[in-house]
Amino acid sequence: MASVAAASAQQGFTPEEEKILSKVLWRIVPFLLLCYIVAYLDRVNVGIASLTMNGDLGISPSAFGWSAGLFFFGYFLAEVPSNLALQAIGARKWIARILITWGLISAATAFVVGPASFGVMRFLLGLGEAGFTPGVFLYFTYWFPARVRGTATAAFLLGIPIANIIGAPISSSLLTLDGLGGLHGWQWLLIIEGLPATLLGFACLFALTDKPEQASWLSPAERTWLAGVLASEREAIAARHSSRLKDAFLNWRVLVCAAVNFCAIIGSVGLGLWMPQIIKGFGFGVVAVGFIAAIPYICGAITMMLWARLSDNGGERSWFVASGLLVGAASLIVCGYATSSALVSIVALCGAVIGIMCYQSTFWPIPSSFLTGSAAAGGLAMIVSIGNLGGFVGPYLIGVIKQATDSFSWALISVAAFLALAGILIRLVGASLQRQAGTADGRAGAIAPLSKGI
């Protein structure tokens, strides 16, 4: 997170202004990062649970892919309404509601009895969690100037690799509780990992502040400067693009970003949910699978922060986004052709996760550079909700192909095609996206000096 100072320094902030942005970053992002770690863990821990749950409940590969992916249908339906509710009610209260709801549903998933009930609970979990990720992206537009928003976003998205780094070993270890209290190990896994979200929901009411104007932890001068910078950016974006909700749904830039995100999430979620079973296929035990599955995400966590910093410091963002996607695609193709070699496959999985993480850390500042007001609330939610339908397609596609071919080879190659398509698409329209946003590199808005805000 310290890299925000370096990024801001290269974008024209004074040392005094850098301190304000660092203070905001350290106050807001660590708590939301913790929430996202729990959120992502509750979303993907069924990948580890499936190592024993599928056999206990008689769930086939295609049925697991279908049921696990129903999470994203619930997410799709509730995403836009949730973001509009956050804008109306305030981030503090609404994010708290999201955390409490999904924590209870995630824990209750431990008591499913078959594919149908598992699918229902995954759908309800999607409804409960909907709005958290786009809500945070919207919340960041209330607090971070565009020129450092990429670094803040990357710091928040560290929750994905961290959740996998710590979650996979913990989750696989919880499977060893099988039989304790008459419950299966996968049931203990879901119960233990679901409850922290509810506790964080109550903590959210005390940890977050809705807007800079309400921040008692900033001085009056700091509040005035930050609010002025952000207001200037919103006015600049609104002058070039409509801030009305209905216009966001008709904006071709929003639709393109949604299509890119859809293809990328096919790879991201598909790989995340099936990676434990891919690794287990090489003969590793369930505990070993958890530790090995953490390796690609360690690599991804380090690389995504470096990539986001490079993106913030200069150059057209779409190049960084496309490069990550194409690296991920190439790595999955290698993994698909090297399924007979555990070492080569694991190295290729590391490359795939690195590429996907680099995509995620550099993509989101692009849509926020041309969306503001109600258009931002609806547009960001629409990009996430349509994109998250890829979270259904990815797991199901891999499951169907795996069941039909008894191999992950063609499944991984098929997913790689979607990542490559996303990379090509963002490059074809990337320059136009960012030129329309107002600057060549997609960083809209002028930065007012601190002295003018005092």
Side-chain angles (χ1 to χ4, degrees):
M1 293 184 191
S3 62
V4 71
S8 60
Q10 297 210 12
Q11 298 299 333
F13 294 114
T14 68
E16 188 177 8
E17 292 162 355
E18 292 171 25
K19 291 180 181 178
I20 298 172
L21 294 172
S22 292
K23 181 190 293 188
V24 172
L25 187 85
W26 282 103
R27 174 74 186 214
I28 291 175
V29 176
F31 178 77
L32 290 174
L33 169 62
L34 178 60
C35 293
Y36 196 44
I37 291 170
V38 173
Y40 207 80
L41 185 60
D42 287 343
R43 182 186 302 186
V44 302
N45 59 8
V46 292
I48 295 292
S50 69
L51 297 175
T52 57
M53 178 185 71
N54 288 4
D56 290 338
L57 300 182
I59 301 177
S60 68
S62 60
F64 173 73
W66 172 274
S67 298
L70 285 176
F71 168 92
F72 295 98
F73 273 108
Y75 216 95
F76 171 77
L77 292 174
E79 198 83 279
V80 173
S82 180
N83 237 29
L84 295 176
L86 183 147
Q87 187 184 40
I89 296 172
R92 184 176 63 90
K93 293 179 181 178
W94 193 249
I95 291 177
R97 194 284 306 163
I98 292 173
L99 286 160
I100 293 169
T101 303
W102 100 54
L104 294 175
I105 295 172
S106 182
T109 304
F111 302 101
V112 300
V113 295
S117 57
F118 176 56
V120 169
M121 294 307 294
R122 290 292 292 178
F123 177 78
L124 292 177
L125 182 62
L127 288 178
E129 191 187 318
F132 176 70
T133 303
V136 170
F137 293 150
L138 178 63
Y139 186 59
F140 281 176
T141 68
Y142 301 161
W143 285 95
F144 296 107
R147 298 183 184 183
V148 296
R149 200 173 297 147
T151 301
T153 300
F156 168 70
L157 290 174
L158 275 174
I160 298 175
I162 292 174
N164 285 279
I165 292 167
I166 66 173
I170 292 173
S171 297
S172 60
S173 297
L174 289 174
L175 291 179
T176 64
L177 298 178
D178 194 64
L180 180 65
L183 298 177
H184 294 291
W186 59 267
Q187 291 178 298
W188 281 115
L189 184 163
L190 295 171
I191 293 170
I192 292 172
E193 293 183 354
L195 294 179
T198 299
L199 299 177
L200 284 171
F202 290 106
C204 185
L205 296 172
F206 303 96
L208 295 183
T209 305
D210 284 334
K211 295 182 178 179
E213 296 86 339
Q214 303 166 350
S216 60
W217 42 272
L218 291 175
S219 70
E222 291 170 339
R223 289 197 296 268
T224 301
W225 174 77
L226 183 57
V229 168
L230 294 165
S232 176
E233 286 192 353
R234 286 191 291 269
E235 291 170 3
I237 295 172
R240 290 188 296 273
H241 311 283
S242 173
S243 61
R244 296 180 303 177
L245 175 64
K246 67 175 184 178
D247 293 324
F249 298 142
L250 302 175
N251 189 326
W252 70 267
R253 302 171 191 85
V254 172
L255 297 177
V256 168
C257 287
V260 169
N261 199 36
F262 172 81
C263 292
I265 289 180
I266 287 176
S268 173
V269 176
L271 181 62
L273 283 176
W274 283 100
M275 189 185 296
Q277 295 200 43
I278 293 172
I279 296 171
K280 187 184 179 185
F282 292 111
F284 296 104
V286 293
V287 176
V289 166
F291 283 92
I292 295 171
I295 295 173
Y297 291 96
I298 294 173
C299 300
I302 296 170
T303 309
M304 72 181 289
M305 290 304 298
L306 296 174
W307 203 241
R309 181 171 176 176
L310 288 173
S311 174
D312 267 351
N313 286 348
E316 187 181 311
R317 285 200 196 272
S318 64
W319 278 110
F320 292 91
V321 177
S323 297
L325 289 165
L326 294 176
V327 167
S331 298
L332 284 180
I333 292 172
V334 171
C335 189
Y337 278 107
T339 52
S340 60
S341 170
L343 178 60
V344 174
S345 294
I346 292 170
V347 171
L349 289 173
C350 289
V353 172
I354 286 172
I356 291 169
M357 293 290 96
C358 287
Y359 153 77
Q360 291 172 330
S361 67
T362 53
F363 171 75
W364 290 104
I366 292 179
S368 66
S369 69
F370 59 80
L371 293 171
T372 190
S374 295
L380 290 172
M382 182 176 174
I383 292 168
V384 174
S385 62
I386 291 177
N388 272 328
L389 288 179
F392 168 78
V393 173
Y396 183 58
L397 177 67
I398 292 175
V400 168
I401 297 176
K402 166 64 167 65
Q403 188 165 319
T405 64
D406 197 29
S407 170
F408 282 107
S409 295
W410 283 107
L412 294 174
I413 293 170
S414 299
V415 169
F418 283 96
L419 292 182
L421 176 61
I424 294 169
L425 180 59
I426 194 67
R427 271 308 302 145
L428 287 175
V429 301
S432 180
L433 277 173
Q434 298 182 187
R435 184 168 58 251
Q436 292 294 328
T439 63
D441 65 355
R443 298 169 181 83
I447 303 298
L450 179 60
S451 59
K452 290 186 178 180
I454 297 178

